[in-house]
Amino acid sequence: MIDCQTTREYLDSMTAQERAVNGEVASHLESCADCQLFAQQLELFDHKVSSLLQAVPVPDGLQERLLSSLSQFEPAEQSEQANILKLPVQSHRLQRWTILKRSFIGTVAAVLIVAISLIWTQPEPTSTLNYADAKSTLQRTFSKIEASHWNRLAAFDQQEFQINHLDRPLRRWTLSEPVGIDLGKSAAHDAAAYQFSYQIQDGPKWSGTLVVLPTAQFSETPKQTEPESSSGMQILEWKSTDGALTYLVFVDQGSADELANVMFSAIG
């Protein structure tokens, strides 16, 4: 069976369809939670890039500017072609090379016009990640991960954002040390995930995964500051009281709706 490094090299050069039909890669992914997470992050990145490319409009007048730029090189090229007829045969190769170089310069100039035009006419690209995509990726990740795999995830380093404290109700939960999740294929972590358990005295018990995300780095995050169940699923989501953090809770044990009611009472 191939190892993790080889699998990730394959994943990085494959399409999603190729990954699915490659027996060695598929077999490794079934048994390795770390590589599953790596593959999911690649899919999220590819989807994000594809969406951004489709959303970029062609600037008005770009075609005319390109044609105009290319046309300024035509007289020089025609002049060179005319001179070739007057030169000895042994100089033709040198003259053709000169023409090729000038044609190349013209092509480079045209490419620069396209690049500069896009820079001038397009707004600066956003650095935020899509919250819905991140939520979907996190749900797939933590619905499959086993307890034995948890310790193999990287410890949360707080390089990209810091969690100075969690909201008061969450301090009553029993939390593991956080692991870091990279959702944007960057060097820093975009989320911190905890294993949690919480029990009311002589009452129900809940357990699952708490994920903390920096609100400013994600678009279309939840607007409420009290936990709400997500579409009847075993997921709770809300913002911290200061709005700086967004909480996602994947409930494995217990009712998410009941936990939301308990949390709402605690916040209130």
Side-chain angles (χ1 to χ4, degrees):
M1 180 180 293
I2 58 178
D3 58 17
C4 290
Q5 180 178 353
T6 305
T7 298
R8 296 186 184 193
E9 289 175 356
Y10 282 150
L11 290 172
D12 206 30
S13 61
M14 288 178 169
T15 64
Q17 291 78 9
E18 289 171 336
R19 298 167 196 161
V21 299
N22 187 296
E24 287 186 313
V25 171
S27 176
H28 182 88
L29 288 177
E30 288 180 0
S31 60
C32 181
D34 292 347
C35 288
Q36 288 176 13
L37 179 59
F38 182 83
Q40 290 164 2
Q41 291 171 347
L42 284 179
E43 291 177 10
L44 177 61
F45 178 78
D46 291 344
H47 173 72
K48 189 67 176 178
V49 170
S50 176
S51 300
L52 289 174
L53 288 177
Q54 293 175 7
V56 175
V58 177
D60 294 337
L62 177 58
Q63 182 178 359
E64 291 77 7
R65 278 180 280 172
L66 276 175
L67 293 175
S68 175
S69 174
L70 290 174
S71 66
Q72 66 179 303
F73 294 96
E74 292 178 358
E77 181 176 339
Q78 291 170 357
S79 175
E80 291 291 346
Q81 291 173 339
N83 288 335
I84 288 175
L85 300 177
K86 302 175 184 179
L87 292 172
V89 175
Q90 61 267 28
S91 300
H92 287 183
R93 181 173 297 174
L94 178 60
Q95 293 298 323
R96 290 178 63 189
W97 173 241
T98 302
I99 293 172
L100 286 174
K101 287 195 293 183
R102 293 200 177 184
S103 297
F104 175 75
I105 292 172
T107 303
V108 171
V111 172
L112 286 175
I113 288 176
V114 174
I116 292 172
S117 175
L118 289 175
I119 291 173
W120 284 347
T121 58
Q122 298 302 319
E124 293 185 4
T126 177
S127 60
T128 59
L129 303 172
N130 183 272
Y131 173 76
D133 290 341
K135 175 180 172 181
S136 178
T137 297
L138 291 165
Q139 183 181 2
R140 290 196 303 270
T141 299
F142 291 108
S143 64
K144 297 178 182 178
I145 192 168
E146 299 178 5
S148 59
H149 295 157
W150 187 274
N151 292 333
R152 297 202 311 225
L153 297 176
F156 177 60
D157 58 17
Q158 300 203 49
Q159 178 182 348
E160 185 69 17
F161 72 101
Q162 293 189 350
I163 303 175
N164 296 323
H165 65 274
L166 299 174
D167 277 10
R168 179 170 52 86
L170 291 173
R171 298 175 203 169
R172 303 174 185 173
W173 294 13
T174 300
L175 301 175
S176 69
E177 291 298 318
V179 297
I181 306 297
D182 174 16
L183 297 168
K185 215 176 181 184
S186 63
H189 291 149
D190 306 303
Y194 303 78
Q195 287 178 300
F196 84 89
S197 63
Y198 176 53
Q199 183 172 16
I200 299 176
Q201 187 175 5
D202 299 326
K205 179 179 180 179
W206 297 270
S207 64
T209 303
L210 164 67
V211 181
V212 183
L213 307 121
T215 302
Q217 293 186 24
F218 292 83
S219 62
E220 302 178 11
T221 54
K223 300 190 181 305
Q224 72 273 7
T225 55
E226 60 273 351
E228 290 186 2
S229 180
S230 175
S231 304
M233 301 171 66
Q234 290 291 88
I235 300 176
L236 299 179
E237 51 189 343
W238 73 99
K239 280 186 180 176
S240 60
T241 51
D242 61 5
L245 301 175
T246 295
Y247 299 119
L248 256 178
V249 175
F250 302 101
V251 182
D252 296 330
Q253 176 185 352
S255 165
D257 289 332
E258 289 182 4
L259 181 58
N261 291 333
V262 171
M263 291 292 294
F264 180 80
S265 300
I267 292 175

